[in-house]
Structure formats: structure tokens, C-alpha cells
Amino acid sequence: VQLQASGGGLVQPGGSLRLSCSASGFPLEDYHVAWFRRAPGKEREGVSCLSGSDDSAYYADFVGGRFTISRDNAKNTVFLQMNSLKPEDTARYYCSALRAADADRTALQALDVMHEHSQWGQGTLVTVSS
């Protein structure tokens, strides 16, 4: 499972970014795909997960309706649209994938499994600052 997270950058508070998670060699549409983040000095935390079973989505409470996770199967990519960004959203963002057919899981359950067992790539850095 090879994933590439991209789209991070420097944005002012209140601004928007769209992160991309692109896959190589396997169809993301068959996978639960989750976004995580790790802020300096903090533990990695789950942000959102898109189910590979029914396209339902889980969002962490801190998202507060500001982020949207979506999938473009033609591009084999999952996006995280982040609006109304806050300085506390500053973190390195990572994506992970878990094959949906392996077990019957909700998006949150899949995120928890990935949180526990994923091998993390480089991620993409999001900095929210004026």
C-alpha cells in the first residue's frame, strides 16, 4: 500500500487548503481511507475517515463541520477539503488506507485500526498562521 499525501502549505487563519492522498498500485475505492495529523509536541490524532464499504464519513469533533473528505475514483485519490482553518490545525497531515473487504468495520473503527497499525509516510505540512 503506497500512498502519497500532498497539498499542504502556509495559509492564513480562515483560509482553505485541499489535501490529496493518492494511491499507487491498488484501487482506493476498495479501501477505507483516513487522514491523521500530528502537531508539534502532540500525539498523532485521527481527523477523518471515508468508508470503503459505503462511503460514509467520520470526522473528529474538532473538525466542527469545517472539513470534507471525498473520493475521486478516476484519479485514485482521496481529498480532504479544509475550510475555516485555525492556527490549531497546524500539523503534519498523513493519510492511511485499510482494505474494506478484510472486515466489517465502520469508518471510525477503520480509523482506529489504522491509527494503531499504519506505517506513516512523510505526510504533508499544514501551517496556519498570519
Side-chain angles (χ1 to χ4, degrees), residues 1-3 21 23 26-38 44-53 56-59 69 71 78 94-121:
V1 176
Q2 189 166 358
L3 299 170
C21 178
F26 66 98
L28 266 185
E29 64 183 303
D30 295 335
Y31 284 70
H32 307 293
V33 180
W35 285 96
F36 298 84
R37 70 185 188 183
R38 186 166 189 173
R44 198 185 319 267
E45 60 184 350
V47 178
S48 180
C49 183
L50 185 62
S51 170
S53 302
S56 60
Y58 161 82
Y59 296 96
I69 192 170
R71 191 195 303 272
V78 168
Y94 304 84
C95 61
S96 183
L98 182 69
R99 194 165 59 183
D102 285 352
D104 186 15
R105 298 184 176 102
T106 64
L108 175 56
Q109 289 169 337
L111 182 144
D112 287 341
V113 171
M114 286 184 267
H115 199 172
E116 196 75 23
H117 298 292
S118 289
Q119 292 183 321
W120 306 103

Side-chain angles (χ1 to χ4, degrees), residues 19-86:
L19 305 185
S20 299
C21 178
S22 300
S24 300
F26 66 98
L28 266 185
E29 64 183 303
D30 295 335
Y31 284 70
H32 307 293
V33 180
W35 285 96
F36 298 84
R37 70 185 188 183
R38 186 166 189 173
K42 294 189 176 181
E43 297 291 320
R44 198 185 319 267
E45 60 184 350
V47 178
S48 180
C49 183
L50 185 62
S51 170
S53 302
D54 59 9
D55 270 349
S56 60
Y58 161 82
Y59 296 96
D61 288 344
F62 62 76
V63 170
R66 299 178 297 129
F67 299 175
T68 303
I69 192 170
S70 63
R71 191 195 303 272
D72 185 331
N73 293 333
K75 296 181 178 180
N76 209 25
T77 299
V78 168
F79 300 102
L80 184 68
Q81 177 68 42
M82 305 190 296
N83 301 326
S84 302
L85 283 162
K86 306 174 182 179

